[in-house]
Amino acid sequence: MGLVLGVYCDDEDKNADKMRFTDSGTKYNNYVKGKLQDYLKMALPLPKLGQVRLLYGMDSKFNAIAAVGMGTDCIGYNPVEEIDEQKEVIRIVSAAGVKALQNLSFPRIYVESFGHAESSAEGSNMGIWLYQENRAERNKKVIPKIEIFDSNDWIGWQIGHQKAMAQNLARNFMEMPANVLTPSAFALQAVDVLTKAGVNVEVKVRNWAKLRDFNSFLSVSSGSSQAPIFLEAFYEGCETDVAPVVLVGKGITFDAGGICLKSCKQMKYMRGDMSGAAAVVSAIRAISNLQIPVNVRALIPLCENMPGAGAYKPGDIVKAKNGKTIMVQTTAHEGRLILADALSYCIMFNPKFIVDLGTLTREIAEVMGSSAAGVFTNSDSLYDMMRIASIHTGDRVWRFPLWDYYSDDVRNSEQSDVLNVGSDEDYGGACNAAAFLREFVPPCVDWMHIDSYGIALASGKTQPYLRKGMSGRPTRTLIEFLSQLACRHG
């Protein structure tokens, strides 16, 4: 077994004169009669933030101790960065420790709370995860069981565990090859995952969508041999007469660009173009497991965007479910087309509010990088709640304008009601996409659009607790947002 403990140290402290342990580290150091402190002094310099020192022979219970540098203990909420730096450090530190011990193939690892059990559970469980379903058994890394050490905050640990497992589930969906995770396969996996959590799921097929005039959604799917699926899920956490929150997730299981074909380089990560759908499924599972008292309905249009013989074309005009006609300027911007019908369909459920989520525009990544998701909304209070949630999770959001300027631009057509890009195809892409979606939001309903294009991939550096690959963001922020909503209105 292995154990992860934290140690504070200033960068200027070369001789470890000011070395301090966390509360759990202090207890353990006393238990081993100061050997932890002595061993670290022998292994100078002390580990900096996120660095690990592996120590052996401390006691008979633990085969190895991972002492992880935590930097200074004088941190907390940073209003300039809009992040709780203490919680983020805990995620980084716990992940670094468990990954170091995971490399030693320990089947069980204990991790201290570092003062916040929820963040420790998040970092630990996200840190050990990696996609290896298609590797030979002999080449797979051991995924150890993670348990809390020296803390009574079992509830906080379980909340963090559920959030981390939800984000890992989203990462798993996103990493799966597109030939394996077709729209039908996604639906089957979602049914399996959600029904086990007590969530009601309905799988709708092409004819159902056709009878309900989901023409925009069906036009995108027309170039693929894979049948489109419309997935509905409903979690009932409180009285049935309470209006549900409706989550809409973009579910393009592979985006080749349609007739407007992407290059091979551009298609490299397009298996993850269903990250919105993955986050929604994962979040609703966590909400159910945590028994959050809120009603949530998820709507997920699933299809591929391929250049098959029946594919829709630039210049096509399709009529969406709400009766508005759409001029297709480019088939490469398909996400907004499938979301349009799903947003129009929301009126059937008398929603408390609507949140749609997906990787819509490259422009949002060019502006924000992977620092935050872009948010567009007609409700100040919704944004404030999402912003506060993102501060706690370290998975930030940033608001962009939803002005009439952009709505006028996407309506600037003599041949259709709206354009799927806008009159100027080279500028304002992210804002125009949000303005386009706004045309299909039911009247007098609060709504938020989250463009997650820039945060879909993890570099392994900016958030060290996520290995390089698909990120699963912003799943935890979505869960925290819904949890705070329940607390506010409970």
Side-chain angles (χ1 to χ4, degrees):
M1 291 190 299
L3 173 63
V4 180
L5 298 170
V7 55
Y8 297 106
C9 178
D10 297 329
D11 288 343
E12 295 79 17
D13 186 12
K14 305 300 181 183
N15 298 317
D17 297 324
K18 300 178 181 178
M19 176 174 57
R20 301 176 308 285
F21 293 109
T22 58
D23 290 345
S24 295
T26 300
K27 289 180 183 178
Y28 184 79
N29 185 54
N30 292 336
Y31 171 72
V32 295
K33 297 180 172 55
K35 281 203 293 184
L36 179 61
Q37 182 174 351
D38 293 341
Y39 278 33
L40 282 172
K41 285 189 174 182
M42 285 190 286
L44 289 176
L46 290 178
K48 296 181 179 180
L49 175 61
Q51 293 181 347
V52 182
R53 296 289 182 269
L54 291 174
L55 307 172
Y56 304 92
M58 286 284 162
D59 72 312
S60 58
K61 181 177 181 181
F62 296 107
N63 303 90
I65 307 296
V68 192
M70 298 189 67
T72 177
D73 56 354
C74 299
I75 54 173
Y77 169 58
N78 186 328
V80 175
E81 294 292 326
E82 295 204 352
I83 193 170
D84 189 320
E85 292 182 332
Q86 182 186 28
K87 291 179 180 178
E88 191 70 355
V89 163
I90 292 171
R91 294 184 196 102
I92 292 169
V93 166
S94 58
V98 296
K99 283 195 285 187
L101 294 172
Q102 182 183 24
N103 290 334
L104 300 176
S105 300
F106 287 129
R108 188 183 300 269
I109 298 172
Y110 286 83
V111 185
E112 67 151 302
S113 71
F114 302 100
H116 194 259
E118 181 180 327
S119 299
S120 179
E122 286 179 333
S124 301
N125 286 283
M126 288 190 292
I128 62 171
W129 187 90
L130 69 162
Y131 183 78
Q132 50 184 356
E133 290 188 12
N134 298 308
R135 301 189 74 189
E137 285 296 326
R138 65 181 181 278
N139 295 327
K140 288 184 178 180
K141 271 184 174 288
V142 172
I143 303 298
K145 182 175 176 59
I146 306 295
E147 296 189 22
I148 193 168
F149 174 77
D150 186 45
S151 174
N152 295 321
D153 189 5
W154 180 248
I155 293 176
W157 179 266
Q158 284 302 313
I159 291 171
H161 176 77
Q162 286 296 332
K163 287 181 177 179
M165 296 310 288
Q167 186 158 340
N168 290 345
L169 176 62
R171 294 161 79 186
N172 193 73
F173 274 123
M174 294 172 68
E175 288 285 10
M176 291 183 72
N179 64 318
V180 175
L181 196 72
T182 61
S184 297
F186 185 105
L188 287 172
Q189 292 213 19
V191 168
D192 181 58
V193 163
L194 294 178
T195 53
K196 288 177 180 176
V199 178
N200 298 313
V201 187
E202 296 180 3
V203 179
K204 318 289 190 178
V205 295
R206 189 196 305 268
N207 284 342
W208 177 92
K210 191 172 182 179
L211 287 170
R212 284 155 183 79
D213 297 321
F214 282 28
N215 301 312
S216 184
F217 166 49
L218 292 175
S219 68
V220 175
S221 71
S222 61
S224 173
S225 61
Q226 297 292 337
I229 297 289
F230 194 90
L231 195 68
E232 286 189 41
F234 181 54
Y235 164 68
E236 192 173 73
C238 52
E239 293 78 9
T240 55
D241 60 343
V242 176
V245 174
V246 178
L247 305 178
V248 183
K250 174 187 169 184
I252 299 293
T253 58
F254 189 78
D255 180 16
I259 288 292
C260 303
L261 197 65
K262 298 179 185 288
S263 68
C264 184
K265 183 179 179 181
Q266 291 171 329
M267 289 189 218
K268 183 176 181 180
Y269 297 110
M270 286 300 105
R271 68 184 184 279
D273 208 29
M274 29 55 68
S275 67
V280 167
V281 169
S282 303
I284 201 170
R285 184 187 73 166
I287 290 297
S288 180
N289 286 340
L290 292 169
Q291 299 182 341
I292 304 299
V294 62
N295 290 339
V296 182
R297 185 170 290 271
L299 305 178
I300 301 172
L302 293 159
C303 66
E304 293 181 334
N305 185 28
M306 302 292 285
Y312 70 129
K313 303 165 288 295
D316 284 359
I317 295 179
V318 297
K319 181 179 283 190
K321 178 173 174 56
N322 69 348
K324 291 187 179 182
T325 56
I326 304 167
M327 165 74 80
V328 178
Q329 295 167 282
T330 171
T331 63
H333 293 315
E334 80 301 327
R336 63 201 71 180
L337 294 174
I338 69 170
L339 292 175
D341 283 335
L343 287 169
S344 300
Y345 183 56
C346 290
I347 198 171
M348 299 290 293
F349 309 107
N350 186 31
K352 187 185 197 74
F353 59 81
I354 302 167
V355 178
D356 77 73
L357 170 64
T359 47
L360 255 71
T361 64
R362 188 181 300 272
E363 289 85 353
I364 208 76
E366 291 171 350
V367 173
M368 301 297 294
S370 63
S371 64
V375 166
F376 303 80
T377 181
N378 59 8
S379 168
D380 292 340
S381 61
L382 273 188
Y383 175 68
D384 286 341
M385 288 170 58
M386 187 66 76
R387 184 183 66 85
I388 291 169
S390 75
I391 288 170
H392 289 292
T393 64
D395 195 355
R396 294 173 289 187
V397 298
W398 189 257
R399 190 176 186 178
F400 284 79
L402 193 64
W403 295 328
D404 289 342
Y405 172 90
Y406 302 107
S407 295
D408 292 341
D409 195 54
V410 297
R411 295 181 193 139
N412 189 12
S413 171
E414 296 180 351
Q415 296 177 286
S416 64
D417 295 321
V418 288
L419 303 165
N420 84 321
V421 178
S423 59
D424 193 336
E425 299 184 31
D426 295 324
Y427 300 100
C431 296
N432 276 13
F436 173 90
L437 293 175
R438 191 180 191 180
E439 296 293 312
F440 303 93
V441 175
C444 304
V445 175
D446 287 343
W447 158 74
M448 176 183 293
H449 162 58
I450 303 176
D451 191 337
S452 59
Y453 193 102
I455 63 173
L457 284 173
S459 66
K461 298 177 181 177
T462 53
Q463 290 185 316
Y465 45 85
L466 298 177
R467 296 177 191 266
K468 186 177 181 180
M470 300 295 181
S471 71
R473 298 167 64 190
T475 302
R476 287 181 300 111
T477 296
L478 203 55
I479 297 166
E480 180 68 21
F481 167 73
L482 293 170
S483 301
Q484 291 188 9
L485 173 74
C487 292
R488 179 175 293 193
H489 298 288

